Amino acid sequence: MSKITSLNKLYKDKKTLDLFAIIYSIAICCELIRVRSYYIFTGEYYLTSVLKGTFGYSYLYCSLIAILPISGFLYRKHSHIFLYVSLMFFCVFKVIINSKLYPENIFQPYNHDIVFWIFLTLGLRQFIEDAKVISLIKFYILFSYFAGGVIKIKSGWDWMNGWTLYYYIIDRSVIYDIPFALGFFKNLLYAKIASWIAVVSELSVVFVLFKKSLNFYFSLFFIIFQIFCHFILEIHFLPFFIWANLIYLASFVARQKQSVVISILNKL
Amino acid sequence: MLDLKNRFKNDKLFIALILIQTIPVIFEINEWPLTNYPMFSIVRKPFNQIQRLELFAETDSKSKDLKISPFNVKSFYALQRYINDVNNPRVNEMINEKIEYLKGIGDKSIKKISLNKKIFNVIPSLQNPNVLNLEIEHIHVKNYIIE
């Protein structure tokens, strides 16, 4: 009986990874297409190394876009393909690290870190068990949210005084037109409540490590949280970071016995 | 089909990977923020006013303001966002560097650079001291003309 359950678990992990590789690579491909003009311009400006002279940054970028969906579908049999993808992605996002001093790019290195890490861990599937690959990806997501909480309370409990959020909202609302946020958070009580919710939720992701049933609620909450931050507070962790949460969706789909997605996947 | 071959089960690699991925996150915790830009994580004490600086470049055709090249648009835009912090010591350095750059090797179509300084006052409302209002106190403009 235990053998059957362990076999089922192996199947489940395998399905999860296969499905996640496909949907994640397509999602990242779409993101790269969406921001292509900005990335290619900044890349070509900042890149003064060998890559620009010999290969051409825009070609590297376009080839990465082309390779991503193909590698997602080839991943079932040739898992090492994501090692090359991660190397290419590193070459692309290294450029943005060079331009890190500019605040419009400040979120991008942290977005790129997780994409690079996920491609790398997917590529190392040959050497690690599937369950451990999944746990590595999940651990990165949880740990980075937890770190976000720790950063905020690093210098005491003053971050939740409401003034921090109000300063940030003024700062952003002068540049962007976000009247809703400025109108809503000018009441310091609301600003305090929102700050406390952010910090408590970020610090409480530790419980997800110990209780797996919280996974779904965790991913749902943080998707809503990131959408809120993206559109109202102009904190752009949404574009690349949020797609990592698809692993929770993939594991949920893989758990279903009669799933349309899995049956399509088996026919490929 | 499920691959049930004896895989290279390397627990050491797994542990090493976990340790590796903790390094950048711990680095973030220690070193954040990595720039002087006023990030969200910097604690703000109660304040009375907030200062904002804007740098604009005027060209021959006014419709092409700030659209000199894709990079320049980004850099101007970045500068406008960068210097919102009053207490940031790098503000003046940044402005001077930028103006020198534009005077020297910048685009020839730039005729004038203007530096706008706005001050916003934060006033608590009389009915409810928790509610704050924002008023523009004054606007100071400084022009640099390039020949």
Side-chain angles (χ1 to χ4, degrees), chain A residues 117 127 132 139 171 174, chain B residues 8 11 21 29 44 52 84:
Chain A
W117 183 254
F127 309 111
K132 285 181 179 173
F139 183 71
D171 188 52
V174 172
Chain B
F8 183 51
D11 283 344
Q21 75 174 355
I29 293 170
R44 301 285 167 197
R52 174 168 160 70
N84 287 336

Side-chain angles (χ1 to χ4, degrees), chain A residues 187-214:
Chain A
N187 193 325
L188 281 178
L189 185 65
Y190 299 157
K192 275 179 194 172
I193 290 167
S195 312
W196 273 102
I197 287 171
V199 169
V200 170
S201 59
E202 277 178 339
L203 288 177
S204 62
V205 292
V206 189
F207 298 115
V208 182
L209 283 173
F210 302 111
K211 201 164 172 64
K212 278 191 175 180
S213 57
L214 289 171

Side-chain angles (χ1 to χ4, degrees), chain A:
Chain A
M1 191 65 191
S2 62
K3 274 187 180 178
I4 292 166
T5 50
S6 61
L7 267 176
N8 279 337
K9 195 177 180 307
L10 279 172
Y11 266 119
K12 204 179 72 184
D13 293 338
K14 190 177 169 356
K15 281 175 195 170
T16 306
L17 271 187
D18 291 342
L19 192 61
F20 176 68
I22 291 170
I23 54 179
Y24 189 72
S25 54
I26 289 170
I28 294 300
C29 180
C30 293
E31 282 297 331
L32 289 175
I33 290 168
R34 194 176 62 80
V35 290
R36 65 191 179 284
S37 58
Y38 167 67
Y39 271 50
I40 288 171
F41 281 133
T42 47
E44 285 187 342
Y45 185 83
Y46 282 105
L47 203 71
T48 51
S49 62
V50 186
L51 271 174
K52 189 181 180 182
T54 57
F55 198 75
Y57 179 73
S58 56
Y59 294 114
L60 180 70
Y61 192 88
C62 294
S63 55
L64 181 62
I65 288 172
I67 281 171
L68 267 172
I70 301 165
S71 59
F73 283 101
L74 288 176
Y75 179 65
R76 299 185 79 197
K77 289 178 182 174
H78 311 282
S79 58
H80 59 276
I81 198 163
F82 270 110
L83 284 176
Y84 311 126
V85 170
S86 66
L87 186 66
M88 281 176 76
F89 195 84
F90 182 77
C91 293
V92 169
F93 92 91
K94 183 80 173 60
V95 175
I96 309 298
I97 285 180
N98 293 339
S99 61
K100 208 175 189 176
L101 282 174
Y102 289 91
E104 68 202 27
N105 302 327
I106 191 79
F107 303 107
Q108 295 309 336
Y110 304 102
N111 282 337
H112 294 156
D113 277 349
I114 193 163
V115 181
F116 171 68
W117 183 254
I118 285 172
F119 284 153
L120 190 71
T121 43
L122 285 175
L124 291 171
R125 191 190 187 180
Q126 288 178 329
F127 309 111
I128 318 169
E129 291 165 42
D130 290 349
K132 285 181 179 173
V133 174
I134 295 167
S135 61
L136 271 172
I137 293 166
K138 285 182 179 176
F139 183 71
Y140 194 100
I141 302 166
L142 297 176
F143 193 38
S144 40
Y145 276 121
F146 182 71
V150 172
I151 287 161
K152 288 180 184 69
I153 60 162
K154 197 172 69 172
S155 51
W157 299 97
D158 288 341
W159 191 88
M160 287 78 80
N161 59 6
W163 288 94
T164 308
L165 188 59
Y166 189 56
Y167 184 96
Y168 187 81
I169 293 290
I170 296 170
D171 188 52
R172 288 293 161 121
S173 62
V174 172
I175 302 146
Y176 304 104
D177 189 20
I178 42 172
F180 169 75
L182 192 62
F184 188 75
F185 289 113
K186 75 179 182 183
N187 193 325
L188 281 178
L189 185 65
Y190 299 157
K192 275 179 194 172
I193 290 167
S195 312
W196 273 102
I197 287 171
V199 169
V200 170
S201 59
E202 277 178 339
L203 288 177
S204 62
V205 292
V206 189
F207 298 115
V208 182
L209 283 173
F210 302 111
K211 201 164 172 64
K212 278 191 175 180
S213 57
L214 289 171
N215 274 350
F216 175 74
Y217 302 106
F218 155 77
S219 56
L220 190 71
F221 174 79
F222 275 104
I223 286 167
I224 295 163
F225 182 74
Q226 293 296 346
I227 288 169
F228 179 82
C229 288
H230 183 76
F231 290 106
I232 294 174
L233 303 184
E234 299 284 339
I235 300 169
H236 303 294
F237 282 116
L238 186 72
F240 286 96
F241 201 93
I242 203 70
W243 299 117
N245 279 332
L246 286 172
I247 198 161
Y248 294 104
L249 180 73
S251 61
F252 176 75
V253 173
R255 228 180 292 141
Q256 310 301 313
K257 285 180 182 173
Q258 297 292 328
S259 172
V260 181
V261 184
I262 296 297
S263 62
I264 292 166
L265 197 67
N266 285 333
K267 284 174 188 171
L268 286 172

Side-chain angles (χ1 to χ4, degrees), chain B residues 66-84:
Chain B
L66 306 181
K67 289 179 183 174
I68 303 148
S69 77
F71 168 68
N72 277 359
V73 172
K74 290 289 173 190
S75 65
F76 271 109
Y77 193 55
L79 190 63
Q80 284 176 43
R81 287 171 59 180
Y82 198 90
I83 57 183
N84 287 336

